Amino acid sequence: MEQSEVLRVARLARLKLADSEVDSYARQLTDILQYVEQLEEVQTDGVEPMAHPGGVTNVLRDDVVTESLPVAEALANAPRSDGRYFVVPAILDAG
Amino acid sequence: MSLTRASTDELLQLLDSREVSAVEVATAFLDEIEARDEQIGAFLTVDRDGALTAARTADERRAAGESAGLLGGIPVAVKDLVCTRGLRTTCASRMLENFVPPYDAHVVRRLRDEGAVLLGKVNLDEFAMGSSTETSAFRRTVNPWNSEHSPGGSSGGSAAAIAAGLAPLSIGSDTGGSIRQPASFCGVVGLKPTYGRVSRYGLVAFASSLDQLGPLSRDVSGSARLLQVIAGHDPQDATCLNVPVPDWTGQLEQPLEGLKIGVVAEQFADGLDDEVAAAVRAAVEVYRGLGATVEEIELPHARHSVATYYLIAPCEASSNLARYDGVHYGHRAEQFDDMVDMYAASRGEAFGSEVKRRIMLGTWALSSGYYEAYYLKALKVRRLIRQDFDDAFRRVDLIAGPVTPTTAFRTGELTGDPLAMYLADIYTSIANLAGIPGISIPAGISQAGLPIGLQLLAPSLEEDRLLRAARMYERETNWHTRWPASL
């Protein structure tokens, strides 16, 4: 995996990497991808992908109103809040 | 006998007969933690006040002639990946260093309902990503059998706490072997239940189609009891199965008649340590001596399990860990340019290198142009691995084999080579991919003095068979009664 590819994936994953990390990930991810390429040799024509092992699908519940988390508790772990909302940097220009 | 050396059953007998109080039991373990955990490194948070309060409640219930619950007064250490209301839950990550959950995980609520005494939260690899507990952002956990060796992972704090006599029971989680491998490395019992047997509500998600909570204990009976408490339907987890929970503890002493055990020849080929192979073969002979028949079976796709696992798990992880955005909870960077940069800076700073590596791998495999060739391909091989087990279990009742290729590796031995660390999951990750239950039980000690585990795998929902078979072996051997020489 090229360093430019590492940076592309890091951008997709919203990860800011140090230069040294870009180097080591390029090397390590190349190793891992070479290893997993062994799956190419497995004949999988007509095999249904298995997303999870459970025997359940479309689990429904009654649409009943239940208590939700109080605002103060929901905000208690927020890095920034104003007591009513989560606070984030401005995402639109003021002008 | 020292209270901290007692098994869960022994402690319950002492408590039920009122020979000791739950406060005395809790105090014994808390004092032991205080005296020795600086060296072991199992705990991230010790909740002395909470533990003593729960112990007093158990004592009051017994004094009033009420039932104290299935675990009345029994101390339990909980992996710090499981939400505990009002008690810091870090996932061993800087990202959640100060996170205090506003709710209890389903398993924690079940523990409290049955009178368990929560001692605190134990160490793990960051977000359960690792096989050595070395990726924890906070502390190193040593293997109580030899402090230069890893306790395994990711539930390394759970296994080390039990092996060192700091807790009789622990809750762990197993995504690719994270209960069974540390149990094997530390010489304790660890069980991964069938996918869906235990609610994942409040278990911080790593790979949702593979994660399962389960017990670790000194002996098989302890795991049976803890599983009895945490298993069962919970509507808060849509994948949690609505099926009856058998009376595992009640049936445990009944041996299985006409047991057919499968052994996979390929698991004994290259890469398996000689001493581990010999111990596992000897364990199979114990079953033969008890009247079991042994049959060689094949799992033709099992050799692809690590490749399959290390695509599926990182893909799910990259999606699950997208929630850490520095907005609702967790770390937020001090310096950033704009909103998107805030996400990237916060995540770049607070996640450790293994977590970032897996997010990167998963993001790549799910990205345009690679999704079909890698992620979908892995899901198809996963189906074939499951079918291998379905075929095998038409012929045999259980599969016996090694848990890990070697005994506990040295701390630092594999940290520079992630792929080598991943390959250690070869025998365990197959059970998560297929969704079947598995158990690791103590089955030997190497020349170097390190424990060896035996893995038993059973068909979905056959925990009863797994536990009773494990107990049959345990009754014939005394590996589970050994303690590290240093203790």
Side-chain angles (χ1 to χ4, degrees):
Chain A
M1 191 181 275
E2 303 277 324
Q3 297 204 348
S4 59
E5 182 72 348
V6 170
L7 290 170
R8 181 187 76 90
V9 176
R11 208 162 35 244
L12 284 174
R14 303 282 186 260
L15 285 173
K16 191 175 274 185
L17 300 181
D19 291 346
S20 61
E21 289 178 306
V22 176
D23 286 348
S24 61
Y25 286 150
R27 204 173 56 249
Q28 292 164 344
L29 292 174
T30 299
D31 281 355
I32 296 164
L33 292 175
Q34 273 168 359
Y35 177 77
V36 301
E37 265 165 20
Q38 63 174 267
L39 296 187
E40 278 175 27
E41 69 191 59
V42 185
Q43 169 58 253
T44 55
D45 293 351
V47 176
E48 190 68 20
M50 178 174 161
H52 75 103
V56 289
T57 46
N58 296 341
V59 177
L60 303 176
R61 60 168 171 78
D62 293 335
D63 190 11
V64 180
V65 177
T66 57
E67 230 171 287
S68 49
L69 210 55
V71 171
E73 280 190 51
L75 293 174
N77 283 291
R80 273 195 69 193
S81 79
D82 65 359
R84 292 170 64 214
Y85 299 104
F86 296 100
V87 174
V88 297
I91 52 170
L92 298 173
D93 284 336
Chain B
M1 182 182 54
S2 143
L3 291 175
T4 56
R5 294 285 181 106
S7 70
T8 305
D9 288 348
E10 288 164 343
L11 287 173
L12 275 172
Q13 271 165 22
L14 292 169
L15 288 163
D16 285 337
S17 63
R18 314 278 295 276
E19 281 173 68
V20 297
S21 69
V23 168
E24 286 171 312
V25 172
T27 303
F29 280 100
L30 289 164
D31 289 351
E32 195 77 354
I33 293 165
E34 198 167 293
R36 298 198 11 255
D37 196 45
E38 197 177 310
Q39 198 257 325
I40 301 291
F43 281 80
L44 292 177
T45 304
V46 178
D47 185 15
R48 181 175 271 270
D49 292 345
L52 290 173
T53 302
R56 272 191 293 273
T57 302
D59 285 337
E60 283 160 14
R61 283 200 201 164
R62 280 197 176 88
E66 298 166 22
S67 163
L70 280 171
L71 291 172
I74 299 294
V76 180
V78 178
K79 188 176 184 177
D80 206 20
L81 191 68
V82 180
C83 287
T84 40
R85 183 175 181 150
L87 190 63
R88 199 171 73 120
T89 299
T90 67
C91 301
S93 179
R94 295 273 171 222
M95 180 59 83
L96 294 176
E97 188 164 6
N98 301 308
F99 177 66
V100 179
Y103 69 101
D104 274 335
H106 178 77
V107 294
V108 171
R109 204 176 321 137
R110 290 291 305 131
L111 288 173
R112 296 194 203 278
D113 286 351
E114 293 295 341
V117 171
L118 271 59
L119 293 171
K121 308 297 287 292
V122 280
N123 203 12
L124 64 150
D125 284 292
E126 183 178 4
F127 285 102
M129 296 182 197
S131 307
S132 64
T133 312
E134 288 167 290
T135 73
S136 168
F138 301 120
R139 70 187 303 191
R140 192 187 144 210
T141 302
V142 304
N143 190 314
W145 293 81
N146 184 328
S147 61
E148 287 175 15
H149 288 252
S150 163
S154 66
S155 308
S158 295
I162 292 168
L166 306 181
L169 293 176
S170 185
I171 296 282
S173 70
D174 191 315
T175 304
S178 281
I179 288 174
R180 293 159 289 155
Q181 184 255 24
S184 171
F185 277 12
C186 291
V188 303
V189 175
L191 187 151
K192 182 202 95 71
T194 305
Y195 183 79
R197 185 58 107 171
V198 178
S199 169
R200 292 182 293 108
Y201 178 76
L203 166 66
V204 176
F206 159 17
S208 303
S209 83
L210 302 160
D211 297 341
Q212 189 61 197
L213 288 152
L216 294 97
S217 58
R218 294 218 57 81
D219 57 13
V220 176
S221 179
S223 278
R225 182 168 289 271
L226 187 48
L227 183 63
Q228 197 79 57
V229 168
I230 61 173
H233 184 237
D234 170 26
Q236 289 170 294
D237 170 4
T239 63
C240 188
L241 299 170
N242 194 356
V243 294
V245 175
D247 179 15
W248 291 306
T249 52
Q251 291 159 3
L252 191 62
E253 296 300 329
Q254 286 174 31
L256 296 157
E257 304 281 337
L259 191 61
K260 278 186 272 184
I261 291 185
V263 172
V264 184
E266 200 172 348
Q267 291 190 339
F268 293 84
D270 288 352
L272 181 64
D273 174 87
D274 289 343
E275 284 185 278
V276 175
V280 172
R281 287 206 173 90
V284 171
E285 288 314 307
V286 168
Y287 281 107
R288 216 194 288 268
L290 291 167
T293 54
V294 180
E295 193 176 323
E296 207 166 276
I297 55 157
E298 283 183 26
L299 298 171
H301 299 92
R303 66 198 162 94
H304 299 299
S305 61
V306 171
T308 307
Y309 176 81
Y310 279 97
L311 281 169
I312 293 173
C315 284
E316 295 189 16
S318 75
S319 172
N320 272 324
L321 273 66
R323 75 191 65 188
Y324 302 104
D325 57 3
V327 174
H328 302 95
Y329 42 75
H331 173 78
R332 180 184 292 193
E334 303 254 325
Q335 307 224 329
F336 47 83
D337 299 330
D338 55 22
M339 181 83 167
V340 170
D341 193 53
M342 183 194 84
Y343 296 150
S346 302
R347 292 159 61 80
E349 286 172 12
F351 286 142
S353 63
E354 182 62 30
V355 170
K356 283 189 269 194
R357 185 156 39 242
R358 296 201 195 188
I359 292 174
M360 294 281 292
L361 180 57
T363 303
W364 182 84
L366 289 174
S367 68
S368 172
Y370 302 105
Y371 175 84
E372 288 193 13
Y374 289 87
Y375 178 63
L376 268 190
K377 181 77 181 184
L379 292 186
K380 290 175 183 177
V381 179
R382 181 181 193 178
R383 169 88 53 198
L384 296 172
I385 289 171
R386 168 71 192 213
Q387 285 171 356
D388 286 350
F389 279 110
D390 291 344
D391 293 342
F393 286 128
R394 275 192 273 277
R395 292 171 56 191
V396 298
D397 302 317
L398 290 171
I399 297 170
V403 185
T404 57
T406 62
T407 53
F409 38 76
R410 284 175 184 277
T411 301
E413 192 176 332
L414 301 178
T415 42
D417 186 354
L419 182 57
M421 183 82 86
Y422 298 172
L423 291 172
D425 295 342
I426 182 78
Y427 308 124
T428 46
S429 54
I430 42 177
N432 303 79
L433 290 166
I436 61 172
I439 194 170
S440 172
I441 52 175
I445 308 272
S446 71
Q447 292 289 323
L450 292 165
I452 299 171
L454 167 73
Q455 179 170 243
L456 300 175
L457 300 174
S460 286
L461 297 174
E462 294 291 347
E463 284 86 357
D464 177 61
R465 194 184 297 168
L466 207 54
L467 287 162
R468 283 163 68 187
R471 178 65 190 131
M472 284 167 71
Y473 174 81
E474 187 182 69
R475 218 173 327 179
E476 299 296 312
T477 58
N478 64 3
W479 302 114
H480 66 291
T481 63
R482 307 286 185 94
W483 290 86
S486 61
L487 298 184

